[in-house]
Amino acid sequence: EGAKMIAYEIAEQLGWEAPDAVVCPVGSGTLFAKLAQGFVELAALGLATGPPPRLHGAQPGGCPPVAAAWADERPPSRVTPETIARSLAVGDPSYGELAIGAARMSGGSITAVPEDLIRSSTDLLAENSGVLADLAGGVAFGALLDLIRVGAIEPGERVVLVVTGSGMKPRRDDPPYVAREIGADAEDFLDVLGLSRD
């Protein structure tokens, strides 16, 4: 039940307004399913204005049991994890079906991010936002970029990216990040990513 409190924290930090969409990494599916529960509770209690957000889940291409099930419209089946995103290497997700239900109920989706894009997405997030995420955060950010590219997230929408871990953990083969400071403004962030609203 504690995981659903992230939805409450998101709403509180946004002035008790629900965002339009939330993009979250998916391992076991627990956090993703509990986010849905939290946003539904907020709406039922009248604590957050607006409808619950669309929930978009992200899995690494080397371990996509929930994303593959979503794409094939079937229940998740076990896979052997072969991903660099170790925190998402859950081949038999205990909350996989609930995660699919959460995505479907919210009008969202669950996608797999190719393994060869995970590090570059993680680096891009760090370099352009100052958010030093672990590889799970890079998976979520890679999915966000794809959602914007295909039009599933439109210009002007308020989107929350859930980053579940810090990139401060040592990775022997990684070069050090070079963070770039930008203004604490959504427009500045979008401009740096080449996604300005103009």
Side-chain angles (χ1 to χ4, degrees), residues 81-161:
E82 294 180 15
T83 180
I84 60 171
R86 290 183 177 184
S87 64
L88 300 180
V90 181
D92 190 12
S94 56
Y95 274 66
E97 288 191 55
L98 290 174
I100 290 170
R104 186 173 292 124
M105 174 196 74
S106 70
S109 64
I110 302 174
T111 58
V113 174
E115 287 291 316
D116 62 349
L117 295 180
I118 294 173
R119 285 194 195 278
S120 61
S121 296
T122 306
D123 293 344
L124 183 64
L125 177 62
E127 291 165 4
N128 292 298
S129 71
V131 176
L132 187 59
D134 68 348
L135 293 174
V139 170
F141 189 64
L144 172 59
L145 294 177
D146 190 56
L147 290 163
I148 292 168
R149 184 184 58 78
V150 301
I153 292 179
E154 298 180 2
E157 288 193 303
R158 184 183 249 183
V159 180
V160 172
L161 179 73

Side-chain angles (χ1 to χ4, degrees), residues 42-53:
L42 283 164
L45 294 169
L47 292 176
T49 59

Side-chain angles (χ1 to χ4, degrees), residues 21-69:
V22 174
V23 182
C24 178
V26 175
S28 69
T30 305
L31 175 58
F32 192 74
K34 290 298 185 174
L35 277 172
Q37 179 183 344
F39 281 114
V40 167
E41 287 179 5
L42 283 164
L45 294 169
L47 292 176
T49 59
R54 298 184 315 277
L55 299 177
H56 296 281
Q59 289 202 294
C63 187
V66 182

